Amino acid sequence: MKKGFMRPLAACVVAAAMLLASLAPFAVTVRAEEDGIIIPDLGGRVIRIATQERGGFGFMGPLHPTDDEFIDADPEDANYHRLQLQIANRIRVEEMFNIVIDPVHIPGGQFINRYREAALAGELLADIVENSQAQQFTAANSGYILPLDVLAAQAYEQFGVRLNFVNEQTTAWPWLEIFGHIWSVGRPLPVASPPAGIVVNLDLIEAFGAPCPVEAYDRGEWNWDTFREIMVATTQDTTGDGNIDHWGLTGDLGSLIGHLIVGNDGFMLHDDTLLLGYTDPEAMEALEFLYEIMNNWWTTSDPDHANPARGGTNAQFFGEGRSAMGIGWPSMIRDMPINQGLTTNLTFMSMPMGPNNTSGFTTTGMLRNAVMVLDGAEDPEILAWIIDELFAWPGEDWYELEYTFDRDGWAASFMPDQASLDRLFDIGLRQMRLDLGQLIGVVGAYHNNMIDAWFLGEMTVAQAVEFWRQERQDFVDNFFGLIEPREVVVPDLGGRVIRIGTQERGAFGFLGPLHATENEFIDANPEDGNYHRLQLQIANRLRVEEMFNIIIEPIHVPGGQFINRYREAALAGELLADIVENSQAQQFTAAHSGYIHALDVLAANLYETNAALLSFMTDRHHTWPWLEFFGNVWSIGRPLPVGSPFGIVVNLDLIEAFGAPCPIEAYEAGEWNWDTFREIMVATTQDTTGDGNIDHWGLTGDLGTLIGSLIIGNDGFFLHEETLLLGYTDPEVMEALEFLYEIMNNWWTTSDPEHANPARGGTNANFFGEGRSAMGIGWPSMIRDMPVNQGLTTNLTFMSFPMGPNNTSGFTTSGGLRNAVMVLEGAEDPEYLLWIIDELFKWSGDDWYELEYTFDRDSWAAAFMPDEASLHRLFDIGLNQSRLDLGSLIGVVGAYHNNMIDAWFLGEMTVAQAVEFWRQERQDFVNEFFGLVDDEYEEVEEEVEEE
C-alpha cells in the first residue's frame, strides 16, 4: 500500500472499529420480540430522510414537489400500483419502529454542499440521506457516512436481525462497495440501463454470414474471438467503389476502452494500492485489441462524420443499418426505429469477455442513486435496519409487473423479447464492476487522448499508455492526499484599486447595485424585489475586498461597447480596466483579437504559485457559462441555469382541441422529434371558417431562428471549428433545411405577407398571441407576456425544439453566450484578478438559488413558468440542450438563413440552389474573418486589374 493511503480513510476505519466495539447495553425501549429478533420502540421519534427534489428515488412514496411532505398516490399516475405499495410499506415501517418519517428535499447533486453547510452551523443535515453517484463516494472518502456492513453486523449482535441488503441478493442491491466496506445501498432491483453494452443488428449479421452473438452468448462463447469474427465479416465495401460502407462496430471508443479492460479482468485503478493498472498485462492486452479494431477499420473511421474518440454522429451508421454492432444502451433499441426509421431485428448484448476473464465482469458500471447513514446520527444501526425495511416494498407482484416482458410493463418498452430482457438483467446483476478510476474521473481524458493518438497514427499502444500515465497518476495522488497538500496563500494587495467594467445600471449584478449614471455602489433598497439577492452580493463584495485587501471600483461600460472602449483606451496608452464584463460576441472578438487572457491558463498558474483551486474550474454546481474555443476558456459567467433559451411556446388547449399529439407527453416518452412536430403542425393548420383561407397555423415566429435550431437538433454544424468550413452541404444540415422547406411549402407556418415575412418574424408572433397558432418560436417570457399584453387566456407551456433523426448529442438549439467576465491583457497580476472573480461569484448561495429558481409564487421562476415541470424543461434546455456554434458566434449565419428563407418564400429556388447561391460568399467571410485570405495574392490581383 502506498505511503499515506490511510490518511483519507482514517475517519472511516476508526468509525468502523468503534461501532464494532460499542456493544454496550442498548438504550432504547424494546417494543417486541419476534422469532428471536428484538424490535426496538423509538417512542415516536422523527427520522429525517433527505431525498432529491420531487422524491426522485421513490422508495417511500410520492412527495410534494415543493414542500417537505408526503402526498397520496394519484390513481391517474402510471405508477399508481407501485406508489400504493411504497406508501403502505412506509406506514408499516413507521408502526414497526414507532417512528415518524420526515422527508427533506435536497436538489440533485447538492448533498455534499448541504451537509457541509449544516456541519458549519453545528447541525446534522438528516439521519439518512439519498443521493446520486459520485456524491456517495465523496461522502465515504470524506468520513461523512458510516459503513453499512459494520452497522449490519452491529444490528445482528444487538437485535438478532440479519439485514436483507447484506444477506439476500436475490435481485440486486446496487451499492458503493470500496475500501473494504459497503457505504450506500440502493433499491433491490435490476439495473435497467447498464452504462453500456452492445446493441446488435441481427439481420445484418445474418446477411453477412457472421456468427450469431446470441447463440455464442448462450453457449458461453461471447468473447473477443467471436466479437472479432463478427467485425471482420461485417466490415465491407458493398458497392465496390473501394470505400468501406458497412462496419462491424460504431460508437464511442473512449467508453469501449474501460469495458474491454474490465472484461479482461484488468483494472483502471487498483483500490488497494491506488496505482493505475494500465501497464498490467490484462489492461495492455485490452488496449492492443482496441488498437487492432481501429487499425483494421472494423469501426468507422470517416473523419467527416466523427472522430471515433469522441463518438460524434458515429452511432448514425448503426441507425442507418450500416453497422452490425453499436456501442450504447438498451434504449437505443426503442430510439433507433422511432428516430431513424431502422426496421430490423435488434437486441442487446453485454460487452464480450476477454481471454483472461475469470470474474464474469464484462462492463464497468456507474453507481445509481442510493441511501446512506450519516455519521453523527443517533442509533445508526437501527437506521440501517429502517433502510432495509423501507426497501421491502417491491413485492413480487410489482416486480413481475414491471420487469417481465409484458405489454403493460416497463421492460417491454425497449426490449424486443424476454430473452433480451434476461440478458439485460444478467448484465445488471452479475456483469458490472465499478472501477475506482472511473468513479473519481481519472480515465476519461486518458482514454480519449490515447484513441486520438492511434487514430492519427502518432503512437503505439505502449507509447500512448506511457505518455499520459504519470500525469494521471499525479491526479490520483492529489485526489487521495498522497501528495502533501500545500497551504493556500491569499495575497495582500495593499489596498490596491481593482477596476471592474460592467454594463450600465449593473445589468450583470454580481457586485451589488450600482448607481444608474455614476460609477459608484449604492445600498440595496428594501422595496426592491431582488433585495435578498442584492444583500448577498453586497456582503460578498465586502468580504472579497477584505480577503485581498483591495478596493473594487465599478466602471460603467454601455452594452456592446467594450471593444470600442478598449480600443479607445489603448490608443490613449491606457488600460480600460482590470476586469470587464460584457456580452456575447464581444467576448469572442476579445479572445480572437488577443485583448483578454485565457482563464484556464491563469487558473493553472495560480495553482502552481498559490495552491488555490478555483471553483469555476472544479465545481460545476449549477453551470458555469463560459466562452470555450480554440482550446481555452476565455470568459466566465454566473453559475446559474440559463433562464431564457430559444424554444417553442405551446398552446396546449389549441393542440388538444384539434386532436394533435400532446408535446409534453411526447417529450416525456423520448419522442419529441420532427415526426411529432410535423404531426402537430399538420393537425393544427386549418381553415376553420371554410372560406378557403388558412386561419390557424401549426407554427409562427422567426424562421431564421428555426433554421439554426433544426440544424443543431439534427447534429449539424453551421461552421466546423476544426476546419473552419461551412457545414451547409453536410447531410445533417441539408436534411434540416429540407424539413424547413417542407414546413413553408405546406403553409404550416403563416405566410401572410401583410402580417410578416417569415424570414423576419415581424408581427408573426401575434398569431400565437391571438390563439391562432399551436406553437410559437420564442422565449419562456412569452408565457408571461402573451396573457398580459394580448389577452391570451389559455394553457401555455414551454418546450425545447424537437430533435432531428440524426440527433445523438442531445442538443436542440443554438445557445448564445450570456454576459460574462474577462481578465484584460496588460492588467497587473492577472492570476489574482481571476481569483477575485471566482470569489465574487460565490454570492449565489443555495438559499438565494432556491428562492429564485424553485417553483414558488413569489419566485422569479413562477413569473412566467406555468408549473414545476415546465421549469425543469426550461432548465434542461439551458443546461443540457444548447450548443454554441462558431458560425453563429462570428455572425456568418444570419443573412445566409434569411436569404434562403426569402428565396423559398418567393418560390425562386430549391433548397440545394439556395444553399449554393450564397455559400461561397459566406465562406469568403469566414476566411477573411480568420485571416485565411492571402494578402499578397490580393495585392497582385489588384495590380493586374490596374494594368
Side-chain angles (χ1 to χ4, degrees):
M1 181 174 291
K2 295 183 71 173
K3 184 179 179 180
F5 172 41
M6 293 304 295
R7 284 202 305 274
L9 303 178
C12 302
V13 175
V14 169
M18 290 177 65
L19 280 169
L20 284 174
S22 62
L23 299 180
F26 189 60
V28 300
T29 303
V30 173
R31 180 182 177 111
E33 184 171 345
E34 298 178 2
D35 299 326
I37 298 175
I38 302 169
I39 302 175
D41 186 328
L42 298 187
R45 181 169 134 200
V46 174
I47 304 297
R48 300 175 69 235
I49 301 182
T51 69
Q52 288 191 39
E53 288 183 34
R54 304 181 64 83
F57 196 48
F59 68 112
M60 297 186 295
L63 300 181
H64 193 278
T66 56
D67 298 327
D68 296 341
E69 62 179 34
F70 293 112
I71 57 175
D72 294 331
D74 183 355
E76 301 300 319
D77 194 305
N79 298 315
Y80 181 61
H81 179 64
R82 166 163 56 91
L83 297 173
Q84 284 181 304
L85 289 172
Q86 292 171 355
I87 293 170
N89 189 63
R90 184 187 76 240
I91 293 171
R92 177 189 69 82
V93 173
E94 288 180 317
E95 181 179 348
M96 175 179 176
F97 294 97
N98 190 12
I99 58 175
V100 176
I101 295 175
D102 179 18
V104 180
H105 279 132
I106 294 186
Q110 280 300 290
F111 159 57
I112 298 298
N113 290 342
R114 294 296 178 82
Y115 177 93
R116 289 169 177 164
E117 289 170 4
L120 287 172
E123 301 170 356
L124 190 66
L125 176 64
D127 300 289
I128 296 166
V129 71
E130 167 262 321
N131 222 275
S132 56
Q133 297 176 0
Q135 299 265 322
Q136 302 164 41
F137 176 78
T138 302
N141 193 49
S142 302
Y144 300 160
I145 57 177
L146 296 173
L148 297 184
D149 53 329
V150 175
L151 296 181
Q154 187 173 8
Y156 176 70
E157 290 294 327
Q158 292 196 6
F159 306 110
V161 62
R162 295 184 181 274
L163 301 189
N164 291 323
F165 76 82
V166 174
N167 297 291
E168 293 183 17
Q169 298 179 39
T170 53
T171 48
W173 292 92
W175 51 32
L176 173 64
E177 185 174 8
I178 214 150
F179 305 136
H181 290 289
I182 297 169
W183 301 93
S184 63
V185 55
R187 290 187 290 183
L189 301 172
V191 178
S193 290
I198 298 179
V199 182
V200 177
N201 184 331
L202 293 171
D203 286 349
L204 191 148
I205 286 174
E206 183 180 3
F208 282 95
C212 175
V214 174
E215 295 175 1
Y217 184 95
D218 292 340
R219 292 194 306 268
E221 297 174 4
W222 181 230
N223 51 38
W224 290 1
D225 290 337
T226 306
F227 194 52
R228 180 187 289 108
E229 195 173 345
I230 293 173
M231 288 186 288
V232 170
T234 57
T235 300
Q236 297 285 346
D237 166 19
T238 63
T239 62
D241 65 355
N243 296 312
I244 296 171
D245 48 47
H246 282 69
W247 291 268
L249 180 69
T250 55
D252 179 14
L253 300 188
S255 165
L256 183 61
I257 282 189
H259 304 302
L260 292 178
I261 290 174
V262 168
N264 202 37
D265 280 3
F267 287 84
M268 292 174 264
L269 180 61
H270 294 279
D271 61 8
D272 51 349
T273 63
L274 295 185
L275 291 173
L276 292 173
Y278 290 85
T279 55
D280 298 344
E282 298 83 1
M284 286 296 292
E285 190 173 19
L287 297 177
E288 291 283 0
F289 181 43
L290 179 56
Y291 187 82
E292 178 188 5
I293 291 172
M294 295 180 65
N295 198 46
N296 285 285
W297 312 115
W298 298 332
T299 186
T300 175
S301 55
D302 184 349
D304 290 337
H305 283 77
N307 178 343
R310 303 291 176 259
T313 58
N314 229 338
Q316 281 308 113
F317 291 110
F318 186 86
E320 294 165 3
R322 293 201 285 144
S323 173
M325 298 177 288
I327 303 166
W329 298 267
S331 56
M332 283 172 62
I333 294 175
R334 173 193 64 210
D335 296 341
M336 287 296 178
I338 292 173
N339 296 330
Q340 298 181 249
L342 182 65
T343 55
T344 189
N345 187 9
L346 305 179
T347 194
F348 186 71
M349 305 290 299
S350 63
M351 296 285 176
M353 290 189 179
N356 285 291
N357 192 301
T358 59
S359 66
F361 296 126
T362 65
T363 189
T364 177
M366 284 302 291
L367 294 169
R368 288 189 286 167
N369 279 25
V371 178
M372 304 162 277
V373 174
L374 270 62
D375 189 15
E378 186 180 355
D379 302 319
E381 65 289 329
I382 301 178
L383 297 178
W385 189 358
I386 289 170
I387 291 171
D388 200 61
E389 292 292 338
L390 284 171
F391 280 131
W393 60 263
E396 287 301 314
D397 54 346
W398 177 80
Y399 178 87
E400 290 189 0
L401 177 69
E402 294 281 311
Y403 286 87
T404 54
F405 192 76
D406 181 276
R407 280 295 149 204
D408 296 327
W410 160 89
S413 66
F414 58 84
M415 282 287 100
D417 50 45
Q418 184 69 42
S420 299
L421 184 63
D422 291 339
R423 280 195 305 276
L424 166 66
F425 288 160
D426 191 45
I427 299 167
L429 287 170
R430 285 176 282 276
Q431 295 186 45
M432 283 202 300
R433 195 198 79 208
L434 180 64
D435 191 285
L436 181 58
Q438 185 183 37
L439 191 58
I440 70 170
V442 72
V443 301
Y446 196 7
H447 293 180
N448 285 336
N449 285 340
M450 287 192 285
I451 290 174
D452 283 344
W454 301 334
F455 182 64
L456 298 172
E458 296 175 338
M459 297 182 184
T460 65
V461 171
Q463 287 170 336
V465 167
E466 195 58 37
F467 191 81
W468 290 281
R469 188 173 62 83
Q470 190 57 53
E471 183 266 340
R472 290 290 83 191
Q473 188 64 59
D474 290 345
F475 175 93
V476 173
D477 293 348
N478 269 307
F479 187 95
F480 287 106
L482 305 181
I483 295 175
E484 202 63 42
R486 296 178 294 144
E487 182 180 358
V488 176
V489 180
V490 179
D492 184 331
L493 298 185
R496 180 171 137 200
V497 174
I498 303 298
R499 301 168 69 233
I500 301 181
T502 68
Q503 288 191 39
E504 289 182 35
R505 305 184 63 83
F508 194 48
F510 69 112
L511 301 172
L514 302 180
H515 194 278
T517 56
E518 299 174 16
N519 297 333
E520 63 180 34
F521 294 112
I522 58 175
D523 294 331
N525 182 356
E527 301 300 319
D528 194 305
N530 297 318
Y531 181 62
H532 178 64
R533 165 163 57 92
L534 297 175
Q535 283 181 303
L536 288 172
Q537 293 171 356
I538 294 170
N540 189 61
R541 186 187 75 240
L542 297 176
R543 177 189 69 83
V544 174
E545 288 181 318
E546 181 178 354
M547 175 179 176
F548 294 97
N549 189 12
I550 58 175
I551 297 170
I552 294 175
E553 177 186 339
I555 302 172
H556 280 133
V557 178
Q561 284 298 298
F562 159 60
I563 298 297
N564 292 340
R565 295 292 176 89
Y566 177 92
R567 289 170 176 164
E568 289 170 5
L571 287 173
E574 301 171 355
L575 190 66
L576 175 65
D578 300 288
I579 297 165
V580 73
E581 166 262 320
N582 221 275
S583 56
Q584 299 172 0
Q586 299 266 321
Q587 301 163 40
F588 180 78
T589 301
H592 185 247
S593 303
Y595 299 160
I596 57 177
H597 280 279
L599 299 188
D600 53 327
V601 175
L602 294 183
N605 294 341
L606 184 64
Y607 178 71
E608 288 297 320
T609 57
N610 292 70
L613 280 171
L614 300 187
S615 298
F616 90 93
M617 295 297 292
T618 61
D619 179 15
R620 308 292 177 84
H621 171 53
H622 300 304
T623 180
W624 292 93
W626 51 29
L627 174 65
E628 187 172 8
F629 266 107
F630 310 126
N632 291 108
V633 175
W634 301 94
S635 65
I636 172 179
R638 290 186 292 182
L640 301 172
V642 178
S644 287
F646 280 118
I648 299 177
V649 182
V650 177
N651 184 330
L652 292 170
D653 286 349
L654 191 149
I655 285 175
E656 183 180 5
F658 281 94
C662 175
I664 294 176
E665 294 176 2
Y667 183 94
E668 292 174 348
E671 299 172 5
W672 181 230
N673 52 39
W674 289 1
D675 290 337
T676 306
F677 192 52
R678 180 187 289 108
E679 196 173 345
I680 292 173
M681 289 187 287
V682 170
T684 57
T685 300
Q686 297 285 345
D687 166 18
T688 62
T689 62
D691 66 355
N693 296 312
I694 295 172
D695 49 49
H696 282 71
W697 291 269
L699 180 70
T700 55
D702 178 17
L703 299 189
T705 299
L706 183 60
I707 279 192
S709 295
L710 291 179
I711 290 172
I712 287 175
N714 203 37
D715 280 2
F717 288 84
F718 312 148
L719 180 61
H720 293 283
E721 182 183 345
E722 67 278 6
T723 63
L724 296 183
L725 293 175
L726 292 174
Y728 288 83
T729 55
D730 296 346
E732 299 83 3
V733 177
M734 287 296 293
E735 190 173 20
L737 298 179
E738 292 283 0
F739 182 42
L740 179 57
Y741 187 83
E742 179 188 5
I743 291 172
M744 295 180 65
N745 197 46
N746 285 286
W747 313 116
W748 298 332
T749 185
T750 175
S751 54
D752 185 345
E754 294 181 3
H755 283 78
N757 177 340
R760 303 293 176 260
T763 58
N764 228 339
N766 280 347
F767 289 112
F768 186 87
E770 294 165 4
R772 294 201 285 144
S773 171
M775 299 177 289
I777 302 164
W779 298 268
S781 56
M782 283 173 61
I783 294 176
R784 173 194 63 211
D785 296 341
M786 287 296 177
V788 172
N789 297 329
Q790 298 182 250
L792 182 64
T793 56
T794 188
N795 187 8
L796 305 180
T797 194
F798 185 71
M799 306 289 299
S800 63
F801 286 102
M803 290 190 180
N806 285 292
N807 192 299
T808 60
S809 67
F811 295 126
T812 64
T813 191
S814 175
L817 291 171
R818 290 188 284 168
N819 281 26
V821 177
M822 305 163 277
V823 175
L824 269 62
E825 188 73 46
E828 186 181 355
D829 300 319
E831 291 88 356
Y832 295 158
L833 296 177
L834 178 58
W835 194 352
I836 289 168
I837 293 170
D838 199 63
E839 293 292 335
L840 285 170
F841 279 131
K842 290 187 176 176
W843 60 263
S844 46
D846 289 329
D847 53 347
W848 176 79
Y849 179 87
E850 289 199 352
L851 179 70
E852 294 281 307
Y853 285 87
T854 53
F855 192 76
D856 181 273
R857 281 293 148 205
D858 296 327
S859 76
W860 161 89
F864 57 86
M865 280 288 100
D867 51 46
E868 182 81 17
S870 299
L871 185 64
H872 284 298
R873 281 196 302 275
L874 164 67
F875 288 160
D876 188 43
I877 298 167
L879 289 170
N880 305 313
Q881 296 185 46
S882 297
R883 193 198 80 208
L884 181 63
D885 191 287
L886 181 58
S888 176
L889 193 58
I890 71 170
V892 72
V893 300
Y896 196 5
H897 292 179
N898 287 335
N899 286 341
M900 287 193 284
I901 291 174
D902 285 344
W904 301 333
F905 181 65
L906 298 172
E908 297 175 339
M909 296 183 185
T910 65
V911 170
Q913 288 170 338
V915 166
E916 197 57 37
F917 191 79
W918 289 282
R919 187 172 61 84
Q920 189 57 53
E921 181 266 340
R922 290 290 83 190
Q923 187 65 61
D924 290 344
F925 173 93
V926 173
N927 295 343
E928 185 176 352
F929 186 96
F930 288 104
L932 304 179
V933 177
D934 192 328
D935 293 336
E936 294 182 4
Y937 174 79
E938 287 187 340
E939 291 174 4
V940 172
E941 287 289 301
E942 289 173 4
E943 291 175 4
V944 171
E945 289 176 2
E946 289 174 3
E947 292 176 1

